[in-house]
Amino acid sequence: MLLRIGDKIVDRQKIHHTVDRILELRRDGLSQQEVAGQTGVDRTFVSRLETIGEIRKGGRVALIGFPIKNCQEIYTVARQEGVDFCLVLSEQERLDFVQTKSGVELFNTIMEIISNVHKYDIVIIIGSNMRIKLMEALLDKTVIGVQIGESPISEDKYVNPEDICALIRQLRF
């Protein structure tokens, strides 16, 4: 997709690709200056690009929940509201997750998830009273619990997407 602007020919696809790359590098933790160096733009361009697309300012939010009956709805709400990390599972998905891994693989995967969640400022946990308390003990972050039952929960629970949406919106600083 080429576009003529005065005496220049501009490649829109190249622009889109560069913007996507800039945002990916920033998401991955590179500084604006590092991203500018890797993509061949000024640091101020990176800053202005972020300002144009900014939806909310402040801490990074993670959402974890299981066993949830309407996972896709909760995932969609989380994405629409700018949640940075979302892991929601039904009871069957949780069982599959556990049963398809060896003990070592399962341990390593759980440790990786915990390490990843540690990067977020606020963690919303949707689950049993026991799971909420466990996450509060594991993380030195703000943990917001949405209790969907007493432990152990063995069947999927419906979670109202509007309630989750309202909760996430309250977290905007």
Side-chain angles (χ1 to χ4, degrees):
M1 299 182 132
L2 300 178
L3 182 70
R4 178 172 285 284
I5 300 175
D7 62 347
K8 296 183 237 177
I9 301 292
V10 176
D11 184 344
R12 292 176 94 170
Q13 189 172 5
K14 183 177 179 183
I15 292 170
H16 290 287
H17 175 74
T18 302
V19 168
D20 288 344
R21 182 76 180 131
I22 289 168
L23 296 175
E24 289 168 7
L25 291 170
R26 287 290 289 145
R27 180 197 61 209
D28 293 343
L30 273 69
S31 72
Q32 289 180 349
Q33 191 62 51
E34 291 168 328
V35 170
Q38 285 192 23
T39 57
V41 299
D42 291 331
R43 187 211 52 82
T44 57
F45 176 77
V46 176
S47 175
R48 288 184 181 133
L49 187 62
E50 290 176 21
T51 301
I52 290 169
E54 186 176 306
I55 294 172
R56 79 174 152 81
K57 206 171 204 153
R60 295 177 48 165
V61 178
L63 184 145
I64 300 172
F66 58 87
I68 297 176
K69 185 181 288 188
N70 54 325
C71 290
Q72 190 56 50
E73 284 182 281
I74 300 304
Y75 182 81
T76 299
V77 164
R79 286 292 167 231
Q80 288 173 342
E81 293 300 320
V83 169
D84 302 290
F85 175 83
C86 185
L87 176 63
V88 288
L89 302 171
S90 67
E91 180 65 11
Q92 188 59 53
E93 289 169 328
R94 179 169 69 149
L95 289 173
D96 291 346
F97 176 81
V98 171
Q99 293 172 348
T100 58
K101 295 175 177 21
S102 71
V104 170
E105 287 175 313
L106 180 60
F107 180 79
N108 288 338
T109 303
I110 290 171
M111 294 305 288
E112 185 178 313
I113 291 170
I114 292 169
S115 174
N116 187 24
V117 170
H118 229 280
K119 298 174 188 173
Y120 299 92
D121 302 298
I122 298 171
V123 179
I124 302 169
I125 178 82
I126 304 170
S128 70
N129 57 326
M130 184 184 82
R131 297 285 183 236
I132 293 168
K133 287 179 184 175
L134 179 63
M135 288 301 282
E136 289 171 340
L138 283 172
L139 301 173
D140 58 348
K141 311 279 179 210
T142 300
V143 175
I144 299 171
V146 177
Q147 187 173 326
I148 56 174
E150 294 290 321
S151 190
I153 300 174
S154 57
E155 74 280 343
D156 292 341
K157 299 287 187 175
Y158 177 81
V159 177
N160 187 337
E162 292 172 6
D163 292 345
I164 300 304
C165 182
L167 173 62
I168 295 167
R169 287 181 179 175
Q170 289 175 350
L171 300 176
R172 292 202 171 120
F173 337 150

